[in-house]
Amino acid sequence: MYAIVNIAGQQFKVAKDQHLFVHRLQGEEGASIEFDNVLLAENGGSFTIGTPNVAGAKVSAKILSHLKGDKVIVFKKKRRKGYKKKNGHRQQFTKIQITGITL
């Protein structure tokens, strides 16, 4: 059994007991959350496709931790002009564990 769910603007294929890194979510560590924006669900070979969402389907998850991703360096330069700009960025993520899928 798996589902395709929209979490924080991104689509993920999720199954029970799977760990995911998603964009930062509101909530404390250890809290449980539910996502009702299920786009597709598969159960034993039968598919249910939503228009746009599957009615009554929910994915429940547990927040494991909040963390930051790797640093990305942004470097801009224009040759022969003396222009150089260096910036860095670290994306904030939330690690979640899928606890169940209900249809």
Side-chain angles (χ1 to χ4, degrees):
M1 173 183 239
Y2 69 88
I4 296 178
V5 63
N6 190 345
I7 302 173
Q10 292 182 317
Q11 295 177 6
F12 294 96
K13 179 181 175 182
V14 297
K16 191 173 191 293
D17 297 328
Q18 180 181 0
H19 291 233
L20 284 175
F21 291 98
V22 297
H23 288 298
R24 181 76 181 235
L25 298 174
Q26 298 295 322
E28 297 293 323
E29 294 182 5
S32 61
I33 51 177
E34 286 189 345
F35 305 106
D36 57 354
N37 201 358
V38 179
L39 305 174
L40 179 137
E42 185 271 335
N43 188 9
S46 65
F47 291 90
T48 306
I49 300 173
T51 54
N53 297 331
V54 177
K58 289 187 181 181
V59 174
S60 57
K62 179 180 176 184
I63 295 177
L64 298 179
S65 63
H66 297 293
L67 49 107
K68 288 185 179 181
D70 294 334
K71 188 165 203 170
V72 177
I73 302 296
V74 179
F75 185 73
K76 299 177 183 179
K77 179 182 178 183
K78 295 188 179 177
R79 63 184 193 157
R80 297 188 303 269
K81 305 296 182 207
Y83 173 79
K84 290 186 216 173
K85 199 60 111 167
K86 182 178 178 183
N87 257 335
H89 175 74
R90 290 186 72 182
Q91 186 69 37
Q92 294 190 349
F93 291 108
T94 299
K95 184 177 182 180
I96 61 173
Q97 179 182 9
I98 304 300
T99 57
I101 300 172
T102 57
L103 299 178

